[in-house]
Amino acid sequence: MASVKLDNLRKVYPNGYVGVADASFQVADGELLVLVGPSGCGKSTLLRMIAGLETITSGTLKIGDRVVNDVSPKDRDIAMVFQSYALYPHMTVAENLAFGLKLRGHDRAAIAGRVAEAAKTLELDELLDRKPGALSGGQRQRVALGRALVRKPQVFLLDEPLSNLDAKLRMSMRVEIARLHRQLGATMVYVTHDQIEAMTLGQRIVVLDKGLIQQIDTPMALYEKPANVFVATFLGSPKMNLLQGELVEGGSERDRGLWLRIAGDIELPLSPEDFMRDALRSRLGQRLDMGLRPEDMRIVDGSDRAQLPARVEAVEPVGNEAFVNLRCGDSEIILRQPPNDLPTPGDVVHLAYAPGRAHFFDSDTGARIG
Ligand code: ADP
């Protein structure tokens, strides 16, 4: 296996559109790195540059110790798995698995050995004589993975490999890919637009938006300390609530603290854990966005000081919990509540948040504060 290193990798399409702007990161040997972002953010462009299917406008790409900018795809020692499976319909599973090796001139015995090994790893033994038309979506995707596996490449590149599967199958294939990664100790770069897939599979995640890398970190670090509003609201479901307001100082002499003035008469006192942050104190008088995850807010009885009045707009029970949609000034808020003891649409309730769990962002740039 090998590492992959990108230095200021840039893609400008012939029409002048910048698909990827100066991407720099390293995928460690044996790491499963996920590229995630909304449709059109440049993740396929980035993966295709690593694969050699897209030319590199500028920057340096290394696989292992070798600069591969101008190396053809077949000589990069990578294997790619596509969303579309790209299986040959007239060939059996065994022939599909063997095809790439045959092209590369491996001898029969070696091919048979590798096909048998991949079939065992992916539990395809029973299906070797079938053609793709006689397989389920999940089985086809396993064959597509098998075809990459038999190549024993330095790096696996996976482009939305589970997008064509239904939700249940996606979950089981996700577990299978994670198992495969552990078993092979393989270097993998995995592209998805699905934040759940990114969070569950990635050892580290690269978050992209509009061709630009927004943040690179472990799933929990991204969740706990998003670098900006984009990352904060992209990861997590329901997404992080944002309350925009002006940071003011208030309270009595003995009880001086910072407040967020949200609308004319709506003010939220910040917990000491929050206003003790130096970065926040220096923002007095400025407008900023306060971010609170749905699980970090709850409805309280109204006697607490740190609370926010909000009107219940809708209640959506989903079994084990309910999503409560509320409005506070111009802001929409979503809470997760236990399924018993739910408010009714139209109620005005009071909300409190877990001390120290608030995130703050610059209202103009979206950058994290503190
Ligand atoms: P993603 O995989 O994140 O959905 P892509 O990498 O496919 O996004 O595309 C990134 C951006 O580059 C998109 O806005 C897309 O329209 C644009 N793009 C892709 N291919 C070309 C091309 N050949 N010419 C011009 N623009 C392109």
Side-chain angles (χ1 to χ4, degrees), residues 164-176:
N164 284 342
L165 304 177
D166 65 43
K168 191 160 162 252
L169 205 52
R170 248 193 342 255
M171 199 187 269
S172 64
M173 283 301 290
R174 212 163 68 200
V175 173
E176 191 146 342

Side-chain angles (χ1 to χ4, degrees), residues 24-331:
S24 297
F25 58 85
Q26 181 159 4
V27 192
D29 189 352
E31 182 176 27
L32 198 171
L33 182 101
V34 173
L35 305 179
V36 72
S39 176
C41 71
K43 45 195 191 299
S44 296
T45 303
L46 201 46
L47 196 75
R48 290 167 59 82
M49 282 197 283
I50 300 173
L53 302 173
E54 199 72 77
T55 56
I56 294 168
T57 308
S58 61
T60 310
L61 173 67
K62 270 183 166 180
I63 297 179
D65 293 330
R66 185 164 70 130
V67 175
V68 294
N69 284 45
D70 300 317
V71 175
S72 75
K74 69 175 177 34
D75 296 326
R76 288 192 184 191
D77 207 358
I78 47 109
M80 190 143 168
V81 179
F82 298 92
Q83 176 181 349
S84 60
Y85 316 137
L87 302 179
Y88 298 106
H90 59 285
M91 293 184 192
T92 63
V93 168
E95 287 163 347
N96 263 288
L97 292 175
F99 187 69
L101 298 179
K102 260 191 201 156
L103 274 190
R104 281 173 175 75
H106 290 264
D107 67 59
R108 271 174 161 231
I111 293 176
R114 287 203 193 181
V115 168
E117 193 185 343
K120 185 156 174 280
T121 305
L122 289 162
E123 292 169 20
L124 290 168
D125 312 72
E126 310 280 301
L127 308 173
L128 286 172
D129 295 329
R130 290 205 204 163
K131 293 199 172 149
L135 300 176
S136 70
Q139 291 168 334
R140 281 179 211 172
Q141 190 49 271
R142 291 223 302 277
V143 178
L145 281 170
R147 225 171 32 176
L149 216 61
V150 293
R151 301 257 315 276
K152 297 189 185 288
Q154 294 280 354
V155 181
F156 288 87
L157 304 175
L158 301 105
D159 193 359
E160 304 252 6
L162 308 185
S163 292
N164 284 342
L165 304 177
D166 65 43
K168 191 160 162 252
L169 205 52
R170 248 193 342 255
M171 199 187 269
S172 64
M173 283 301 290
R174 212 163 68 200
V175 173
E176 191 146 342
I177 289 177
R179 176 183 63 83
L180 206 60
H181 172 254
R182 276 196 308 274
Q183 191 176 330
L184 301 173
T187 309
M188 291 185 169
V189 184
Y190 186 108
V191 161
T192 180
H193 65 274
D194 179 347
Q195 51 111 0
I196 302 280
E197 223 166 272
M199 293 290 280
T200 51
L201 268 179
Q203 291 178 308
R204 282 188 311 148
I205 301 175
V206 177
V207 186
L208 281 161
D209 185 37
K210 300 192 182 88
L212 283 168
I213 293 179
Q214 304 293 314
Q215 195 173 359
I216 306 178
D217 217 323
T218 60
M220 278 321 285
L222 292 176
Y223 193 79
E224 292 292 329
K225 221 170 174 190
N228 56 37
V229 167
F230 178 82
V231 177
T233 52
F234 186 76
L235 300 176
S237 177
K239 67 180 189 180
M240 185 187 282
N241 297 300
L242 290 176
L243 295 163
Q244 197 176 66
E246 182 191 348
L247 193 64
V248 296
E249 185 149 43
S252 65
E253 277 306 317
R254 277 183 54 225
D255 182 24
R256 199 163 280 289
L258 296 179
W259 296 60
L260 193 69
R261 181 174 294 151
I262 292 166
D265 56 343
I266 307 178
E267 288 185 341
L268 177 66
L270 304 185
S271 69
E273 289 88 341
D274 293 319
F275 66 71
M276 291 299 277
R277 297 186 201 170
D278 291 345
L280 208 53
R281 282 218 146 260
S282 67
R283 298 275 180 152
L284 214 56
Q286 293 182 14
R287 290 194 71 72
L288 44 84
D289 289 339
M290 178 175 181
L292 288 164
R293 297 215 179 265
E295 63 270 28
D296 292 329
M297 301 181 83
R298 62 191 167 85
I299 296 173
V300 291
D301 65 10
S303 59
D304 196 335
R305 192 182 77 111
Q307 55 181 255
L308 201 60
R311 179 177 298 277
V312 179
E313 301 218 307
V315 179
E316 302 174 301
V318 291
N320 61 329
E321 62 178 352
F323 302 139
V324 182
N325 296 256
L326 306 112
R327 176 164 287 280
C328 172
D330 292 335
S331 305

